[in-house]
Amino acid sequence: MNIDAIKLLKSLVAIPSVSRDENGTADLLVEVLTDAGIKCRRHYNNVWALQPHYDATKPTLMLNSHHDTVKPSPAYTRNPYEAAVEDGVLYGLGSNDAGASVVSLASVFARLYETELPFNIILALTAEEEVMGEHGMRAMLPHLAEQGISVDMALVGEPTGMQPAVGERGLVVLDCTAHGRTGHAARKEGVNALYKAIEDIDKLRRFKFEQKSELLGDISLQVTQINAGTQHNVVPDRCGFVVDVRTTDAYTNEQTVEILQKVIEADAVPRSTRVRASAISDNHPMVCAAVAIGGTPFVSPTTSDMALMPFPSLKMGPGQSQRSHTADEYVLLSEVEEAQSLYEKFIFELSNII
């Protein structure tokens, strides 16, 4: 079975697929996989397929990437939906993040569709990754569980230069509110909530968590926004500030929030705790397989759907992270070709280890 990866990538780029509006690319993926002789299914805009000889007694490897994109930057000098190829470079929105991974994984899955391995392979090309939406991976995993499919490990396709990312930090955003009492500024009345917020911000600036992740290092936090006051002569009774917290596997996100709530007097409410840190052991078979094919493990500075996976995962894909979310996004044709070869080598190396 065969899928022309470059042809598919050009077609994907040509179809707008901003997060939560991926109907067109989902339709295309279903059509291409079906034409290749693969029985695929769809849950919302998530397209997935199992090898025909699926055996529930074997572990299952998920090959995952996402076909949604961010909105095109106003700085584009090209049509973001025209997959132009010039001198071995394919331009277009989503070409690098993460269309190149989608088509490379789909092509390799098609070639190995009927190959018996010590593990099952499931292909999951998901939606809403850029916003971690409720109908993307958050819906995909419960759906698979309802089908009686248990995923044991995942290879996540994202632009890493085909180097294996063995970890990434999580994210918690805290909306904080310091409370005071209003009064007239000239008479020094009231309790200034802005001053109370400054005291809390200083506590956060100096705070260090006791535990440190062996792989991801210290939890980092930054106060990134502050807002207070209604007019110059009124002492503010409320001051809001926002804290960006990059979490690690040393604590759960919930534990991290609880610790920080005790550090400051202000109310601190997390927007979400679902974006969790991800870390995989250096002796896990997937890491060993990635190293065996020439990879150098590293910690990724960006987040992905790995944050939603409760099983070991490894991030590796064609392209470069610094091209993502930029104007005139592109990927090299050679990178797509190399990815297909390395993905296949990775799977066979993994089969020798497991």
Side-chain angles (χ1 to χ4, degrees):
M1 296 179 180
N2 182 58
I3 289 176
D4 186 328
I6 300 300
K7 180 180 178 181
L8 176 55
L9 182 55
K10 290 179 179 178
S11 299
L12 285 174
V13 167
I15 301 172
S17 57
V18 173
S19 300
R20 296 193 175 97
D21 190 17
E22 313 95 342
N23 289 323
T25 47
D27 289 342
L28 174 64
L29 290 168
V30 169
E31 178 184 347
V32 169
L33 290 170
T34 301
D35 288 347
I38 295 169
K39 181 182 177 181
C40 65
R41 309 176 204 183
R42 181 170 175 172
H43 183 58
Y44 298 113
N45 287 326
N46 306 302
V47 178
W48 63 281
L50 276 173
Q51 289 179 296
H53 48 267
Y54 174 79
D55 181 350
T57 65
K58 292 181 179 180
T60 296
L61 168 68
M62 180 168 69
L63 304 180
N64 164 249
S65 191
H66 66 93
H67 58 97
D68 64 312
T69 72
V70 296
K71 294 179 180 179
S73 164
Y76 260 88
T77 64
R78 301 168 171 271
N79 180 348
Y81 299 112
E82 181 182 348
V85 177
E86 300 175 11
D87 299 323
V89 178
L90 190 154
Y91 293 90
L93 179 64
S95 56
N96 179 75
D97 182 18
S101 293
V102 167
V103 302
S104 298
L105 289 171
S107 176
V108 169
F109 179 78
R111 291 204 291 267
L112 300 179
Y113 186 56
E114 296 181 344
T115 302
E116 293 260 3
L117 296 164
F119 47 84
N120 306 299
I121 301 179
I122 177 173
L123 177 69
L125 306 176
T126 49
E128 300 191 8
E129 186 274 345
E130 297 291 1
V131 294
M132 290 200 175
E134 64 276 16
H135 293 152
M137 185 60 70
R138 289 165 56 192
M140 186 74 223
L141 293 180
H143 175 68
L144 292 178
E146 290 171 0
Q147 311 303 309
I149 299 167
S150 175
V151 178
D152 298 281
M153 52 189 165
L155 176 62
V156 178
E158 290 278 354
T160 68
M162 287 306 289
Q163 294 300 318
V166 294
E168 59 181 34
R169 291 172 178 267
L171 170 65
V172 173
V173 178
L174 293 176
D175 288 310
C176 303
T177 305
H179 298 277
R181 189 175 68 254
T182 190
H184 197 297
R187 292 195 294 267
K188 299 182 180 180
E189 294 173 341
V191 177
N192 196 320
L194 181 53
Y195 293 162
K196 295 182 73 173
I198 289 172
E199 292 174 358
D200 279 342
I201 290 169
D202 187 55
K203 291 175 185 176
L204 291 173
R205 184 176 64 84
R206 293 183 285 109
F207 181 73
K208 297 291 183 183
F209 287 86
E210 290 183 5
Q211 298 180 39
K212 178 178 180 178
S213 168
E214 183 176 341
L215 177 65
L216 302 175
D218 290 315
I219 293 174
S220 64
L221 60 87
Q222 291 285 342
V223 176
T224 55
Q225 293 175 282
I226 188 167
N227 182 60
T230 57
Q231 58 190 61
H232 77 89
N233 57 354
V234 177
V235 173
D237 62 347
R238 293 169 62 88
C239 180
F241 57 98
V242 177
V243 188
D244 179 293
V245 187
R246 300 294 165 155
T247 60
T248 74
D249 57 330
Y251 302 89
T252 67
N253 284 359
E254 291 78 9
Q255 289 171 332
T256 302
V257 170
E258 184 177 356
I259 291 169
L260 292 176
Q261 286 172 332
K262 293 177 180 177
V263 172
I264 60 178
E265 291 186 23
D267 298 334
V269 180
R271 296 180 185 177
S272 167
T273 56
R274 75 172 67 96
V275 184
R276 302 183 180 278
S278 179
I280 185 172
S281 168
D282 58 7
N283 59 8
H284 189 279
M286 284 199 297
V287 178
C288 296
V291 171
I293 64 170
T296 301
F298 74 104
V299 173
S300 173
T302 60
T303 58
S304 70
D305 272 346
M306 290 206 306
L308 305 175
M309 298 176 183
F311 39 76
S313 55
L314 184 77
K315 183 164 67 177
M316 183 171 72
Q320 297 293 337
S321 179
Q322 58 265 35
R323 300 178 200 153
S324 301
H325 306 180
T326 62
D328 299 337
E329 181 181 349
Y330 69 91
V331 70
L332 307 183
L333 298 183
S334 60
E335 290 174 325
V336 179
E337 295 300 326
E338 178 193 42
Q340 294 172 75
S341 173
L342 288 177
Y343 277 147
E344 192 164 338
K345 288 179 180 178
F346 169 86
I347 289 170
F348 282 120
E349 191 64 40
L350 184 61
S351 71
N352 292 331
I353 297 171
I354 290 182

